[in-house]
Amino acid sequence: MDILQEIQKRICFFDGGMGSLLQAAGLRPGELPGIWNITHPEELVKIHRAYLDAGADIMTTNTFGVDALKYNEHTEYQLDPVITAAVRNAKKAVEMSGKDACVALDMGPTGKLLKPLGDLTFEDAYELYSEVVRIGVREGVDLVIIETMSDSYETKAAVLAAKENCDLPVFVTVTFDEKGKLLTGGTPASIVAMLEGLGVDAIGMNCGLGPVQMKKILGDMLAVTSVPVIVNPNAGLPRSENGETVYDINAEQFADALAEIVDMGARVVGGCCGTTPDHIRRVVELCRDKTPVPVVKKHRSVISSFCKAVEIGKSPVLIGERINPTGKSKFKQALRDHNLEYILREGVTQQDHGAHVLDVNVGLPEIDEKAMLVEVVRELQSIVELPLQMDTTDVDAMEAALRVYNGKALINSVNGKQESMHAIFPLVKKYGGVVVALALDESGIPETAEGRIQVAKKIYQTAAEYGIEPENIIIDALCLTVSSDSQGAITTLETLRRVRDELHGYTVLGVSNISFGLPQREIINAAFFTMAMQNGLSAAIINPNSEAMMRAYYSFKALMDLDPQCGEYISIYGGQPTVSLGQSVVRSSDGKTAKSGAGAAGDAGGASLEDVLGNSIIRGLKDQAGAAVRDLLETKDPLDVINGCMIPALDVVGKGFEKGTLFLPQLLMSAEAAKAAFEVIKDKMAKSGQQQEKKGTIILATVKGDIHDIGKNIVKVLLENYSYDVLDLGKDVPPELIVETAVEKHVMLVGLSALMTTTVPSMEETIRQLRVAAPWAKVMVGGAVLTQEYADTMGADQYCRDAMASVNYAESVFGIS
């Protein structure tokens, strides 16, 4: 079966859940499901056959979570034979059925966060997935399905592994929470932008939620997606009955909901946790004859970060220009000194002042630009929400940065020279991105607008030869200083207008170029900026710290009906200062910039050291936090610093995370900044003989059979920052060890984590043993497969949906709040 042709013609069907059926067949709690590919092949063939008989078109191999981290290190069964057996079992079932069906190599998350948030490098994650792909391709799979992904960065590593090690179709499904967010903060718009840029063949969602909960998220996804959409929900929400996991939606209800999902526009549907062949049979019966909703090309010009999509064309986009050494002696010195903290502060400040995108240029002749650009991108994308513009003339540096970038980048730049286009366009096609295209070629910069339009047309035409669509090109109309060319501004404005009106394209300018050599340059810059926006400028590379530029921007939006009811303008200039979480700048009623209590990142500017420390923790600036706490300890008691500055800052971050205004990467980087400050304090207290009193002792463990420890590790970091002594027992921990430790240490609180449905029985058994041997101990549980009802039926004291909920519950258990 050619699955790509089939999904263009009709509704296609995935199979359903695997883990629950293996448990019904005898898989023991904590036993790795992949081992059954070798030890019980007949059961796998039987399950696959049941789904094929139910009408499924796509068989997923029993390889979810199978990688070298789990199998080569944790079991006698090695990766290659486990995957080989999985593929052969699925292929055997297809052959026996006589049906024209596909075998999909199933890859899921590694269970680890990637650096700098975790301990797994992007390259190592890529290699883990690549090894699985190579084995699967060797054994003859028909496509690759990357599923249940909750981190866009790890998803990118998996997609690149698939795309670079085979030429098979690649499908991707991610797991959203009920708010429509990935674990690390991604949204439907941001993940779709990245995945479509990488060239995957179908995008969707699975697991975590039932079909009813997925409907709203599906609407958001369909609004931005230009490829077929996949929906594989759970059979509702889980709970425990008599030691078994059951779900609240039966086959008929599931099928009814999937029929509505197909009517909304999904092209490929199936099931995840709790679904059975009967669920899939009912879905096929209701949906196989439905006329598919056409897949509509959206033609959106969009870039993204890990959590935010920025669309070009609706309203002028501001690109912060400050991470660039040109004309900036302090920045140059920071690059020479490898002072990343200075660069990160520049990024944070521009985000606070209203930039939508950050330009990143680290080119200096005396440094290794490629290594520096990669390092800056990795660090910057972990503390700011904004998409990045990769700005370099070094093609190798550009590719290295695009590879590790967590999103769909803005690429600066290409031009009309054949050499430039043939070097840059392959990178745009491979990694995705919107590319800035300078309207110049081998003949230089055209003096007329007509000349620049002709170069733009040539760029569009050559890009099309690489499969790059016009919406992924943004023309730099070129801005030359008016002091040396009196017609420069007029030519540029005409070019902007003609790109908009004749080519129906998008444009960008480095606005401040217009005023080189003139006094009080902001006056010229702001006037020209307004004129450029009026003539169709889509994106402007400016200094967002310039009040004159920002006044021009917000005024233009208000006047052109791009700011409904002038709400943004009023919030900034209406006399009521508004400060976003951790924001270091407010504007008074006359529009002048003033430092807030938090102090400006990277420039104390009159703010107290306490405020500088607090803001550094909120922003995740490790070096600045360490420096501030050293200065504070000259005059303050360590415990006063902890309780008066650090814990309140962590509380601000925690509340932002709970409200959805901050995301997991920022939460973790704030914790790292606090950790850096704590290390300074610990050294000071050790020298003085003081000790920081711990609030209490908490056990954390990932339960037996489960070796995914993302959630546990996140909780550990936060609890330690809140002064708890954490006994981390690791992953794949048997109930007996957890109970023994709780009894021996008389621990008041135990935290248990599980990611997989097949390991939840181990969690339930652990709770049962704790109730007998350590009845005083409270138990909090968390993990992707759990819900409040599920936790209640297992007898847990508290279900914690995220890391901050764990901290809050610990505070209540130990009487802190």
Side-chain angles (χ1 to χ4, degrees):
M1 175 191 294
D2 185 332
I3 190 63
L4 295 185
Q5 286 190 6
E6 290 298 310
I7 61 177
Q8 294 301 322
K9 297 185 296 185
R10 65 179 179 89
I11 305 301
C12 292
F13 304 95
F14 265 100
D15 53 13
M18 175 64 73
S20 55
L21 298 185
L22 289 177
Q23 286 176 320
L27 181 73
R28 298 188 305 274
E31 188 177 7
L32 291 175
I35 294 173
W36 272 47
N37 296 329
I38 295 173
T39 60
H40 297 79
E42 70 286 349
E43 293 294 342
L44 269 301
V45 173
K46 180 180 177 182
I47 291 171
H48 289 314
R49 277 295 308 274
Y51 280 121
L52 287 162
D53 292 344
D57 301 298
I58 306 170
M59 291 296 100
T60 52
T61 58
N62 183 36
T63 51
F64 177 82
V66 175
D67 57 50
L69 282 178
K70 304 179 184 69
Y71 281 75
N72 288 352
E73 296 180 14
H74 292 272
T75 173
E76 61 186 290
Y77 297 97
Q78 297 297 290
L79 185 69
D80 195 317
V82 168
I83 296 173
T84 297
V87 177
R88 292 178 181 176
N89 292 336
K91 288 173 71 72
K92 181 178 179 180
V94 172
E95 183 181 347
M96 291 172 62
S97 73
K99 184 174 180 178
D100 186 16
C102 293
V103 172
L105 179 66
D106 190 346
M107 299 199 300
T110 62
K112 290 183 173 293
L113 281 173
L114 274 58
K115 287 185 175 180
L117 306 178
D119 58 2
L120 185 66
T121 68
F122 183 86
E123 293 79 9
D124 286 344
Y126 168 84
E127 287 300 331
L128 287 170
Y129 288 115
S130 294
E131 187 175 7
V132 174
V133 172
R134 287 191 291 267
I135 298 169
V137 170
R138 184 195 70 203
E139 293 303 316
V141 298
D142 301 303
L143 69 141
V144 177
I145 173 67
I146 301 164
E147 64 157 317
T148 323
M149 304 302 288
S150 58
D151 174 16
S152 59
Y153 205 27
E154 184 179 30
T155 305
K156 181 172 182 175
V159 170
L160 286 175
K163 302 283 284 186
E164 293 180 355
N165 287 279
C166 73
D167 56 4
L168 299 173
V170 178
F171 293 179
V172 179
T173 56
V174 298
T175 299
F176 294 108
D177 63 19
E178 65 276 8
K179 295 179 181 178
K181 297 287 180 67
L182 301 184
L183 172 68
T184 50
T187 65
S190 68
I191 194 68
V192 165
M194 185 189 80
L195 292 176
E196 288 192 349
L198 290 170
V200 304
D201 298 289
I203 300 170
M205 53 186 153
N206 78 296
C207 204
L209 302 171
V212 175
Q213 294 85 358
M214 284 189 177
K215 283 182 189 176
K216 181 185 183 303
I217 303 170
L218 174 61
D220 294 338
M221 182 168 278
L222 289 168
V224 296
T225 309
S226 298
V227 298
V229 170
I230 308 164
V231 181
N232 292 335
N234 290 347
L237 301 177
R239 65 182 185 277
S240 179
E241 286 186 2
N242 302 318
E244 294 185 5
T245 301
V246 297
Y247 289 79
D248 64 0
I249 293 183
N250 62 32
E252 290 81 3
Q253 294 167 324
F254 185 83
D256 288 341
L258 264 289
E260 295 179 23
I261 282 171
V262 167
D263 289 339
M264 289 176 67
R267 278 291 178 118
V268 188
V269 292
C272 198
C273 298
T275 57
T276 66
D278 194 33
H279 287 77
I280 301 304
R281 180 178 296 105
R282 302 278 183 165
V283 171
V284 172
E285 289 171 354
L286 279 183
C287 300
R288 63 186 165 197
D289 295 326
K290 285 182 175 289
T291 300
V293 176
V295 177
V296 178
K297 186 73 178 174
K298 303 303 188 298
H299 297 292
R300 300 170 72 242
S301 179
V302 61
I303 56 177
S304 67
S305 66
F306 73 93
C307 70
K308 186 181 293 292
V310 172
E311 186 172 357
I312 296 165
K314 288 189 172 182
S315 178
V317 170
L318 304 182
I319 304 169
E321 68 181 9
R322 300 296 298 168
I323 303 178
N324 189 316
T326 304
K328 304 179 185 72
S329 58
K330 288 184 179 179
F331 194 95
K332 290 179 180 178
Q333 194 58 47
L335 290 175
R336 296 185 188 104
D337 296 341
H338 197 257
N339 182 1
L340 292 184
E341 194 84 0
Y342 180 93
I343 298 171
L344 298 182
R345 291 199 300 265
E346 286 287 353
V348 166
T349 303
Q350 291 180 97
Q351 177 175 273
D352 285 349
H353 283 75
H356 305 125
V357 183
L358 298 181
D359 181 71
V360 183
N361 185 321
V362 296
L364 276 185
E366 61 264 45
I367 70 169
D368 183 341
E369 182 182 0
K370 177 180 176 181
M372 177 63 82
L373 184 59
V374 167
E375 189 172 9
V376 169
V377 166
R378 280 177 165 154
E379 293 295 324
L380 197 57
Q381 69 188 4
S382 68
I383 68 167
V384 299
E385 303 171 13
L386 307 182
L388 304 182
Q389 173 173 265
M390 307 304 167
D391 186 356
T392 178
T393 58
D394 185 322
V395 176
D396 289 339
M398 179 70 79
E399 177 162 19
L402 290 174
R403 190 172 186 84
V404 302
Y405 178 59
N406 189 3
K408 181 183 178 186
L410 189 57
I411 299 170
N412 192 3
S413 60
V414 72
N415 59 55
K417 297 177 182 179
Q418 293 297 319
E419 179 184 9
S420 174
M421 291 189 287
H422 295 316
I424 298 299
F425 284 153
L427 301 183
V428 179
K429 181 63 176 175
K430 178 176 181 178
Y431 295 105
V434 173
V435 62
V436 171
L438 280 65
L440 61 86
D441 59 11
E442 287 85 355
S443 300
I445 299 175
E447 295 183 359
T448 65
E450 174 61 26
R452 296 179 192 182
I453 291 297
Q454 291 306 314
V455 174
K457 289 180 178 179
K458 178 172 65 173
I459 292 170
Y460 282 132
Q461 181 179 350
T462 307
E465 294 171 6
Y466 284 90
I468 300 168
E469 295 167 322
E471 58 262 30
N472 287 318
I473 304 288
I474 180 169
I475 301 297
D476 189 332
L478 301 177
C479 181
L480 305 180
T481 178
V482 72
S483 62
S484 61
D485 179 3
S486 61
Q487 293 290 307
I490 296 171
T491 301
T492 299
L493 295 173
E494 183 183 350
T495 305
L496 293 174
R497 188 168 57 253
R498 291 185 63 181
V499 170
R500 179 192 63 190
D501 297 342
E502 297 176 18
L503 305 184
H504 309 293
Y506 304 111
T507 51
V508 63
L509 287 177
V511 175
S512 61
N513 293 345
I514 198 69
S515 63
F516 280 137
L518 294 174
Q520 299 192 49
R521 293 178 60 191
E522 278 195 342
I523 298 173
I524 292 287
N525 291 346
F528 179 67
F529 182 30
T530 302
M531 296 169 73
M533 289 188 287
Q534 180 63 29
N535 281 274
L537 181 64
S538 310
I541 303 172
I542 67 166
N543 177 6
N545 306 337
S546 164
E547 191 58 45
M549 298 300 280
M550 299 308 290
R551 282 177 175 172
Y553 174 73
Y554 291 119
S555 298
F556 177 82
K557 287 185 65 178
L559 293 168
M560 296 303 295
D561 196 23
L562 298 173
D563 180 9
Q565 289 78 50
C566 302
E568 192 172 27
Y569 181 90
I570 292 170
S571 73
I572 295 169
Y573 301 112
Q576 298 295 323
T578 58
V579 185
S580 64
L581 181 64
Q583 185 169 324
S584 58
V585 173
V586 297
R587 287 179 172 82
S588 57
S589 58
D590 64 358
K592 294 181 179 179
T593 302
K595 299 288 192 303
S596 76
D603 179 7
S608 68
L609 282 171
E610 290 90 340
D611 290 336
V612 172
L613 174 58
N615 198 49
S616 300
I617 290 172
I618 289 168
R619 288 311 195 180
L621 298 170
K622 299 187 288 292
D623 292 347
Q624 183 170 281
V629 84
R630 286 189 190 93
D631 291 342
L632 272 172
L633 290 175
E634 295 295 323
T635 58
K636 279 188 168 290
D637 181 79
L639 293 178
D640 289 341
V641 174
I642 292 171
N643 296 322
C645 302
M646 297 176 64
I647 296 300
L650 287 171
D651 287 340
V652 170
V653 175
K655 289 174 182 176
F657 180 71
E658 290 173 337
K659 292 177 181 177
T661 56
L662 282 181
F663 307 105
L664 182 62
Q666 295 152 309
L667 181 73
L668 292 179
M669 295 310 293
S670 293
E672 286 297 309
K675 182 179 178 182
F678 273 123
E679 290 301 317
V680 175
I681 290 174
K682 283 168 62 178
D683 290 344
K684 175 81 171 181
M685 294 177 74
K687 291 175 183 176
S688 66
Q690 284 181 281
Q691 282 191 336
Q692 181 187 359
E693 184 179 349
K694 296 292 184 181
K695 294 178 180 177
T697 301
I698 300 171
I699 290 173
L700 293 181
T702 301
V703 298
K704 183 172 176 56
D706 204 319
I707 46 181
H708 298 83
D709 58 1
I710 288 179
K712 172 183 67 64
N713 292 343
I714 294 168
V715 171
K716 177 184 177 182
V717 169
L718 293 189
L719 286 172
E720 288 179 337
N721 272 341
Y722 276 82
S723 301
Y724 288 98
D725 186 14
V726 177
L727 302 178
D728 183 1
L729 301 185
K731 53 195 176 185
D732 190 21
V733 184
E736 294 76 16
L737 177 57
I738 297 170
V739 171
E740 177 184 329
T741 307
V743 171
E744 179 185 347
K745 305 289 187 181
H746 200 79
V747 174
M748 295 293 295
L749 179 58
V750 177
L752 303 176
S753 174
L755 178 73
M756 301 165 64
T757 304
T758 54
T759 59
V760 173
S762 294
M763 180 180 282
E764 190 166 4
E765 174 60 18
T766 303
I767 295 173
R768 189 193 66 78
Q769 291 190 26
L770 281 168
R771 295 303 183 221
V772 174
W776 63 83
K778 298 291 185 182
V779 181
M780 59 181 180
V781 298
V785 295
L786 297 180
T787 63
Q788 182 66 60
E789 184 180 5
Y790 205 172
D792 291 342
T793 56
M794 287 192 297
D797 295 291
Q798 184 73 17
Y799 163 63
C800 298
R801 62 177 300 274
D802 56 44
M804 279 310 303
S806 301
V807 171
N808 293 337
Y809 183 62
E811 299 279 88
S812 68
V813 168
F814 291 94
I816 309 301
S817 61

